[in-house]
C-alpha cells in the first residue's frame, strides 16, 4: 500500500470529504475509508461495502499516489506498468517470459470528480493579501493551504524588501530567514527584465 491521502477537496460529494484514500498498485485499486473521531484519534470505517473506491481490470493500472487538486478534485497518479514487482524479487526463469521494464516510459494522472461541471481556477499566484485571507475559509483544503503559504510569503517579502542601490533599477534584494533559532538570513536577488 502507498499514496496515503486524506481528501480535503470539494469536487466529490460531501460523504467523501475527510476520507482516507490508500493506493494499492499490486491489486490495481484505490481503497477508501471514512474517518470518524475516536477520542484523541480517528477510527477508519470501510467506505464502500463489498467493493473498492476505484478498481480497474487493466492489469497495467498501478495507482501509487493521491492528492487533492486546486479544483477540489481527487487526483490519482497511475504508474501504468505491466510489472510492479522489482526484478530482484522475480525469479530469472519467470523474467524470461515478459519485459520487466515494460511501461517505464508511461504514466497517467486520473482526475476523479463527482457530477461534471465547470470548476473555477483559484488564481492565487497573483492574488493580493485580502484575496488570500478570504481563501482561508474555502471548502477546498488545497486552496486554504496554498493561500496560507502565499500570504506568509507575501508578509516575509513585505517586511524584508529593501530598495535597490542607487542607479540600479532592475534589482530587488530580499532577506529571507533560513534559521530562525540563530536569526540568520540569506540574501536572494531577484532580477527582472526591462
Amino acid at each position: 500500500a502507498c499514496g496515503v491521502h486524506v481528501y480535503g477537496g470539494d469536487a466529490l460529494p460531501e460523504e467523501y470529504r475527510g476520507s482516507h484514500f490508500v493506493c494499492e498498485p499490486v491489486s490495481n485499486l484505490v481503497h477508501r475509508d471514512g474517518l470518524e473521531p475516536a477520542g484523541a484519534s480517528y477510527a477508519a470505517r470501510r467506505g464502500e461495502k463489498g467493493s473498492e473506491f476505484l478498481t480497474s481490470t487493466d492489469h497495467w493500472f498501478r495507482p501509487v499516489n493521491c492528492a487533492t487538486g486546486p479544483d477540489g478534485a481527487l487526483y490519482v497518479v497511475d504508474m501504468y506498468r505491466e510489472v510492479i514487482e522489482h526484478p530482484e524479487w522475480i525469479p530469472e526463469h519467470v523474467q524470461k517470459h515478459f519485459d520487466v521494464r515494460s511501461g517505464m516510459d508511461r504514466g497517467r494522472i486520473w482526475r476523479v470528480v463527482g457530477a461534471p461541471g465547470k470548476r473555477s481556477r483559484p488564481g492565487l499566484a497573483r492574488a493580493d493579501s485580502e484575496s488570500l485571507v478570504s481563501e482561508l475559509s474555502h471548502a477546498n483544503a488545497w486552496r486554504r493551504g496554498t493561500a496560507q503559504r502565499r500570504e506568509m510569503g507575501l508578509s516575509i517579502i513585505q517586511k524584508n524588501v529593501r530598495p535597490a542601490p542607487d542607479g540600479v533599477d532592475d534589482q530587488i534584494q530580499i532577506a529571507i530567514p533560513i534559521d530562525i533559532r540563530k536569526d540568520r538570513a540569506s540574501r536572494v536577488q531577484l532580477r527582472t527584465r526591462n
Side-chain angles (χ1 to χ4, degrees), residues 75-170:
Y75 286 82
V76 178
V77 177
D78 176 5
M79 206 164 111
Y80 202 69
R81 298 272 172 84
E82 181 178 18
V83 178
I84 194 69
E85 293 83 2
H86 191 282
E88 182 178 343
W89 310 114
I90 302 172
E92 286 185 31
H93 71 278
V94 175
Q95 289 185 35
K96 293 176 184 174
H97 298 286
F98 52 87
D99 179 5
V100 295
R101 304 281 181 218
S102 185
M104 295 238 351
D105 58 344
R106 299 196 173 115
R108 305 180 289 197
I109 299 175
W110 297 94
R111 180 175 175 264
V112 182
V113 295
K118 187 167 176 77
R119 307 284 299 175
S120 64
R121 291 179 181 229
L124 300 178
R126 292 188 171 83
D128 62 10
S129 186
E130 186 177 329
S131 299
L132 291 171
V133 169
S134 71
E135 288 286 328
L136 296 176
S137 61
H138 198 280
N140 182 352
W142 184 95
R143 289 175 74 154
R144 291 191 308 270
T146 301
Q148 181 181 21
R149 283 190 305 277
R150 292 272 302 125
E151 177 59 26
M152 291 181 69
L154 280 179
S155 65
I156 288 171
I157 289 171
Q158 289 168 352
K159 288 177 186 174
N160 294 293
V161 169
R162 296 191 174 87
D166 289 340
V168 178
D169 296 325
D170 65 346

Side-chain angles (χ1 to χ4, degrees), residues 35-43 45:
L35 298 178
E36 300 169 2
S41 187
Y42 290 89
R45 303 282 183 256

Side-chain angles (χ1 to χ4, degrees), residues 16-17 59 80 85 99 121 171 180:
Y16 293 91
R17 291 190 191 162
H59 72 275
Y80 202 69
E85 293 83 2
D99 179 5
R121 291 179 181 229
Q171 187 178 21
I180 296 171

